[in-house]
Amino acid sequence: MSQKVGGGKPQRYVQPSLLMALKAGPSYGYQLIQTIADYGFMRDEAPPGMIYRHLRQMDEEGLVSSSWDAEGDGPAKRVYSVTAEGLEILEAWILHMERQRDRLDAFIRRYRES
């Protein structure tokens, strides 16, 4: 298959992936990296630096909140939780994805019928 097919930028789905993962409950960066890999938008495991940049920006924008967890062994970990505003943004992403899916389905149907 041509390298030109399906090019897209999978990192555009990092934000909704993180919000979806946090919808299930609070988590920290490393867990989130592993969780969002299961969603299938990234070809490989997401680069940690990119994920932490997104989390920091989302924290600044009020989509997630974070706090330090110093419990247990090892260094303290920053734990992230989705906010009400983050859930609203996730809903907007879902609506966008549904519209995209509908357009793709219509395109495929048109191809198959011709």
Side-chain angles (χ1 to χ4, degrees):
M1 180 180 284
S2 171
Q3 292 287 58
K4 296 179 182 180
V5 175
K9 295 184 179 183
Q11 62 266 27
R12 82 172 44 130
Y13 294 106
V14 169
Q15 184 187 68
S17 295
L18 289 169
L19 292 170
M20 178 69 107
L22 290 170
K23 185 176 183 281
S27 189
Y28 58 94
Y30 182 72
Q31 284 179 326
L32 291 167
I33 290 168
Q34 294 177 323
T35 300
I36 68 171
D38 294 339
Y39 297 153
F41 292 117
M42 305 293 285
R43 287 193 178 108
D44 300 310
E45 191 173 89
M50 180 178 69
I51 298 305
Y52 286 108
R53 276 192 305 280
H54 273 83
L55 287 167
R56 193 168 34 256
Q57 181 178 356
M58 292 166 58
D59 198 359
E60 291 171 4
E61 294 172 352
L63 306 182
V64 301
S65 61
S66 64
S67 61
W68 286 101
D69 178 10
E71 303 285 322
D73 297 335
K77 298 174 187 154
R78 187 172 288 274
V79 177
Y80 297 89
S81 301
V82 67
T83 64
E85 187 175 351
L87 291 174
E88 289 177 20
I89 295 298
L90 179 57
E91 175 67 19
W93 268 107
I94 296 301
L95 293 172
H96 168 75
M97 290 176 184
E98 288 173 336
R99 284 191 302 273
Q100 291 295 96
R101 179 203 57 212
D102 293 345
R103 288 183 195 119
L104 289 169
D105 285 344
F107 186 88
I108 292 167
R109 260 192 319 278
R110 181 174 264 166
Y111 170 81
R112 299 280 183 222
E113 293 169 356
S114 62

